[in-house]
Amino acid sequence: MSIIRQESLFDIYDLLEMEPTQRYEAIISEIDVDAILYQVNKKSRLGAPVKLNYAAMIISLCVRIIERIPTIKDLIKRLKDDPLFKWNCGFLVSDETPSEAAYSRLITKLSDSNTLELAQETVLFQAIAEGFIIDDTVAIDATHFEARDQAPAKEEKTKTEPKKRGRKSKAEREQWLEEQAKKEASLPLYEKKIEAQLPVPLTELRNEVPQDPKWGIKKNSEGKNVFWYGYKGHLAVGTSSQYILQSLFSSGSLNDGKAAIPLLKGIHERLSLSSLRYQTMDAGYDYDPVYVQVNRMGQQSVIAYNKRNESDPIGFDKHFAPTCFREHSYRYDSFDTKYETLKYTRPCKDCPLATEGLCQKIYKVKITTNLRRYTAPARGSKAWKSIFKRRTAVERVNAYLKEYYQLDNIRYRTGKRAKVHFDIVTLIYNASKLASDRINSMLHQNIAA
C-alpha cells in the first residue's frame, strides 16, 4: 500500500523529538486557550471564589496527550513530583495541584459546550490563511477504538410469532406499507436511511449523532469480522496537507456511510476551500445520497463501487464504460464540466466494423444520469485510480492519532466525556501540524535567504 508523504525539512516526527519546553510552546501557542477558558470559567462574581488555575489545567490536559500520560491520576502525580513540568504547564509556584475531582469538573464543563470544536476551526482557519491547506482532494474514513468499560451482557431476544406465509392482499400490503412508513418516520435520525440526512441542517446532524458505547463490527484485511465495544472516529483529511478538516465522534455501531454527509456538509459550510475538487472514500461509503451531496457541493466523487449482488449492465464493462459490438471497452477521454458529460472514444484505431456503421466513434454520457456509476474522472481510468490512491492519507492520520496522540486510550465511562478526549486529540494533532508547517516554512525562508 502506497503512503503519501509530504516532502519537508521538518515534520511532526521532528516536532515530537524537540525539548519539552519548546514542544509545548510550539503546539499550545496554536490553540486559543483564552476562548476555551471563557467557556469553563465562572461567569458570576457571586459564590465562592475560584482558586484553581483553569488555564493551566486546560494546558495540562493538552500536554497529557503530547506526553502520552495514560491517566489523569498519573498527570497529577507528575505535576506534584516534577516542578519544571508543572511550570511548563502554566501553573505558578503558589498554585495548588488540582485534584482528580477538579479535572473531572473541568471535563464536564468542556463536554457541555462546543468550545473544543470552535478551537479546532480557529486552527484550520489560520492554516488556510497562511496557505498550508491548498488540497484538491479530501479522503474520508473511520477508525474504531474501544471503551474503557467492558461490554454489558447481551440481552436475550424474545421469540416473535412466525410470519404468515403467502402473498398479502392489496389492502393488507397498503396497510403494511403505511405502518412501515410511520415506523421509519418515528426512528432517530441516524437509524433512518441515509437519504433522510440530505435536507437536515448541519447543526442538527452533529447534535443527533449517537455517542454511547456500542458494539461495532468491521472486516479486517483477511475478510474476517472483527467486533469491538466502544466508539468510532470519523475523519475528513486533506490528502496533501494531511490536516483533519472535519471530524465526528460516534458510537461504534454507526454505519460509516451515515457519517459521510455530516462531514461533507461541515467542509462545505464551515471551510472556504475553493481548491477542493474530489472526495475519495472506500466502498463503505458507496451510497446514492453521498454522491448527491458531493455533486451539490460542485465536486466529484471518487468512491470504490460496492456491487451488492448487482448484475453487470448489458453493453457496459465492470467500470460502466460502454463496450463496442465486439465487447471491447471504450477508452475514457475527458470530462466536460459545462455539460457534466464523460467522453469515451473508440477502443480500436482501425476497427473493421467502423465502415459498416457498427462501431460508434465517440460515446458521451452525463454523470447526472447515475451519479453512483458515472464519476469524473471515469471509473477504472488511470486518473481515477491515481486519485483513489490518495485515500491512504486518512489511514496514515488514523495511525498517527493512535500511535502518538492516545486516540485509543479512552479513560471515561460516558460517550459525552469520551468525545472530549477525541476532540482534544484531533485539536492537538492539527495544532502540531500547524506548528511543524510554520517551522518548516521558516527553514525554507532561511535557506532561500
Side-chain angles (χ1 to χ4, degrees), residues 230-248:
Y231 311 98
K232 275 186 181 179
H234 308 267
L235 303 181
V237 174
T239 55
S240 59
S241 67
Q242 295 185 11
Y243 279 87
I244 300 173
L245 304 181
Q246 287 290 295
S247 59
L248 196 70

Side-chain angles (χ1 to χ4, degrees), residues 94-111:
S94 58
D95 287 335
E96 295 181 3
T97 302
S99 63
E100 286 188 65
Y103 275 105
S104 179
R105 289 192 295 270
L106 174 60
I107 296 296
T108 301
K109 290 183 178 181
L110 290 173
S111 67

Side-chain angles (χ1 to χ4, degrees), residues 17-195:
E17 294 298 323
M18 290 173 62
E19 291 295 324
T21 303
Q22 295 175 315
R23 184 166 68 247
Y24 303 161
E25 175 62 26
I27 297 174
I28 303 301
S29 63
E30 310 299 345
I31 301 172
D32 190 355
V33 177
D34 290 339
I36 302 175
L37 179 63
Y38 176 78
Q39 292 293 332
V40 301
N41 234 340
K42 186 180 174 183
K43 302 295 188 297
S44 173
R45 292 180 296 176
L46 302 176
V50 177
K51 297 181 181 179
L52 297 173
N53 188 340
Y54 273 125
M57 290 176 67
I58 294 168
I59 294 172
S60 66
L61 286 177
C62 297
V63 171
R64 174 188 162 234
I65 300 299
I66 300 169
E67 287 292 330
R68 304 175 216 172
I69 299 173
T71 65
I72 295 295
K73 186 176 181 179
D74 292 326
L75 173 63
I76 294 171
K77 186 176 185 303
R78 179 81 179 271
L79 290 171
K80 289 179 178 179
D81 296 343
D82 190 344
L84 181 60
F85 176 78
K86 183 177 180 180
W87 179 76
N88 284 334
C89 288
F91 287 99
L92 301 176
V93 177
S94 58
D95 287 335
E96 295 181 3
T97 302
S99 63
E100 286 188 65
Y103 275 105
S104 179
R105 289 192 295 270
L106 174 60
I107 296 296
T108 301
K109 290 183 178 181
L110 290 173
S111 67
D112 291 335
S113 69
N114 64 341
T115 181
L116 293 175
E117 293 181 14
L118 296 176
Q120 180 81 280
E121 286 188 14
T122 302
V123 173
L124 289 172
F125 290 152
Q126 190 62 40
I128 293 170
E130 297 183 25
F132 297 131
I133 302 178
I134 52 174
D135 303 86
D136 67 344
T137 307
V138 171
I140 293 177
D141 202 1
T143 187
H144 69 273
F145 38 97
E146 295 184 0
R148 178 185 178 185
D149 293 341
Q150 292 184 349
K154 293 184 178 180
E155 298 179 359
E156 295 184 2
K157 294 183 179 179
T158 56
K159 293 184 179 180
T160 56
E161 295 182 3
K163 295 181 180 179
K164 295 181 180 180
R165 294 185 178 182
R167 189 174 179 179
K168 294 183 176 68
S169 65
K170 185 176 180 181
E172 288 177 335
R173 178 167 176 78
E174 288 179 354
Q175 183 181 358
W176 179 80
L177 290 173
E178 186 178 346
E179 290 174 355
Q180 290 297 111
K182 289 180 179 179
K183 185 178 179 180
E184 176 74 15
S186 63
L187 291 174
L189 178 60
Y190 282 89
E191 292 183 20
K192 296 179 181 179
K193 295 179 179 178
I194 298 179
E195 51 263 33

Side-chain angles (χ1 to χ4, degrees), residues 296-316:
R296 289 179 180 179
M297 295 163 60
Q299 298 167 19
Q300 302 300 330
S301 305
V302 181
I303 304 174
Y305 195 81
N306 188 352
K307 290 188 69 171
R308 301 193 187 100
N309 298 321
E310 300 171 9
S311 57
D312 294 331
I314 300 174
F316 297 85

